[in-house]
Amino acid sequence: MKLKLTVALTLAVALLYGCAKPSAPTTNLGAVEVATTKLTRHYPLSGDRDCTLTLTTLIDGQVLVEAVVLRKDAQGNVTVLARPRKKAPFGQEVSLPIGDGNIVLTPKRI
C-alpha cells in the first residue's frame, strides 16, 4: 500500500512540474528616452518579427506606450501579431504582452 501511495505522489508531482508552462520570452529594450511629446522608434525582434514603439507624453505627466508587433513571412506577407498599449509614469518599467512573449522598457524623460 505504501509503495502505491509513493508512486502515485511521485507521479502527481512529476506531472505538475513537467506540465508547467515555460516562462514567456522577454525582449528588454531598457531605458527609452523621450525628448518630445511623441516618439516613434523601430526595433527588430528575434526571428521574423519587428516592433514599432510609440511613446506619447500625456498632460498628467505620464506616458502612453503603444507597440505594433509585425511578422513577415517568406512570401513577404505582413501579419499584425499584437497592438498592446499601456499608460505608466516616467521611470517605471512597462511590460507589454506581444502574444508569445513580452516587451519590457522603461520610459525616461530627458
Side-chain angles (χ1 to χ4, degrees), residues 27-100:
T27 301
N28 192 335
L29 302 177
V32 177
E33 295 180 337
V34 182
T36 61
T37 56
K38 190 167 193 168
L39 167 76
T40 300
R41 287 193 181 155
H42 174 78
Y43 295 93
L45 301 176
S46 62
D48 54 356
R49 300 177 306 153
D50 352 92
C51 172
T52 300
L53 193 64
T54 302
L55 288 86
T56 306
T57 303
L58 303 174
I59 294 172
D60 64 2
Q62 296 195 56
V63 63
L64 177 63
V65 181
E66 300 173 281
V68 177
V69 180
L70 304 174
R71 174 177 283 149
K72 191 174 191 178
D73 66 16
Q75 290 77 33
N77 301 315
V78 177
T79 305
V80 176
L81 296 178
R83 288 182 174 268
R85 57 189 298 177
K86 197 174 274 188
K87 184 176 156 181
F90 280 95
Q92 178 180 319
E93 185 176 89
V94 177
S95 179
L96 300 168
I98 57 168
D100 62 347

